């Protein structure tokens, strides 16, 4: 498609500069998409790890409850398990938040770098004279 655009000739438009600019825009978009994909992959890996840890802790908890003797010991054990579960959940949410923040930052960085470059290329595309060249 970019080759077809390059073949067009419009007065006052530098088609080669336009094609180069659009190619760079597509590369930035591709880099952004790649970062987003890596972020989704990291979240999937995190979820798999979380599932494994949860199953391991559940097995341990069930074994601990079976060994509790009196009702008071069972309540104490259940309370301790609930406290651990809450602390684990908070830690996991913080970890997930960091993964999402990092993925978002990486995904937007390529686009954020490209926008000023793209705006600067407009004068090349439109064959505008350099204002500093005037005397």
């Amino acid at each position: 498609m970019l080759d077809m655009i390059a073949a067009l000739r419009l007065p006052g438009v530098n088609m080669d500069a336009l094609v180069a600019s659009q190619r760079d825009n597509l590369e930035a978009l591709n880099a952004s998409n790649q970062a987003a994909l890596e972020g989704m992959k990291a979240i999937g890996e995190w979820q798999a790890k979380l599932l494994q840890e949860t199953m391991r802790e559940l097995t341990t908890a069930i074994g601990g409850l079976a060994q509790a003797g009196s009702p008071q010991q069972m309540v104490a054990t259940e309370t301790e398990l609930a406290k651990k579960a809450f602390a684990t959940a908070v830690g996991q949410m913080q970890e997930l938040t960091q993964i999402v923040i990092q993925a978002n930052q990486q995904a937007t960085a390529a686009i954020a770098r490209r926008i000023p470059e793209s705006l600067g290329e407009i004068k090349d595309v439109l064959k505008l004279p350099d204002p500093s060249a005037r005397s």
Side-chain angles (χ1 to χ4, degrees), residues 42-55:
I43 290 172
E45 290 170 354
W46 178 82
Q47 288 175 329
K49 180 184 106 177
L50 177 62
L51 179 60
Q52 290 172 347
E53 287 176 5
T54 302
M55 294 306 292

Side-chain angles (χ1 to χ4, degrees), residues 26-92:
L26 290 174
E27 287 173 3
L29 185 59
N30 185 44
S32 178
N33 287 338
Q34 185 65 34
L37 181 63
E38 290 297 321
M40 289 189 302
K41 179 181 171 189
I43 290 172
E45 290 170 354
W46 178 82
Q47 288 175 329
K49 180 184 106 177
L50 177 62
L51 179 60
Q52 290 172 347
E53 287 176 5
T54 302
M55 294 306 292
R56 202 170 27 253
E57 289 174 10
L58 182 60
T59 301
T60 302
I62 290 172
L65 284 176
Q67 294 176 357
S70 69
Q72 292 86 356
Q73 287 175 326
M74 185 173 277
V75 168
T77 302
E78 288 175 349
T79 302
E80 189 60 34
L81 288 173
K83 284 171 51 177
K84 281 184 178 179
F86 180 74
T88 299
V90 169
Q92 290 167 344

Side-chain angles (χ1 to χ4, degrees), residues 1-9 15-16 19-20 22-23:
M1 185 169 104
L2 292 176
D3 291 336
M4 290 186 335
I5 293 172
L8 295 174
R9 296 290 167 220
M15 296 307 285
D16 292 333
V19 169
Q22 294 308 308
R23 184 173 290 119

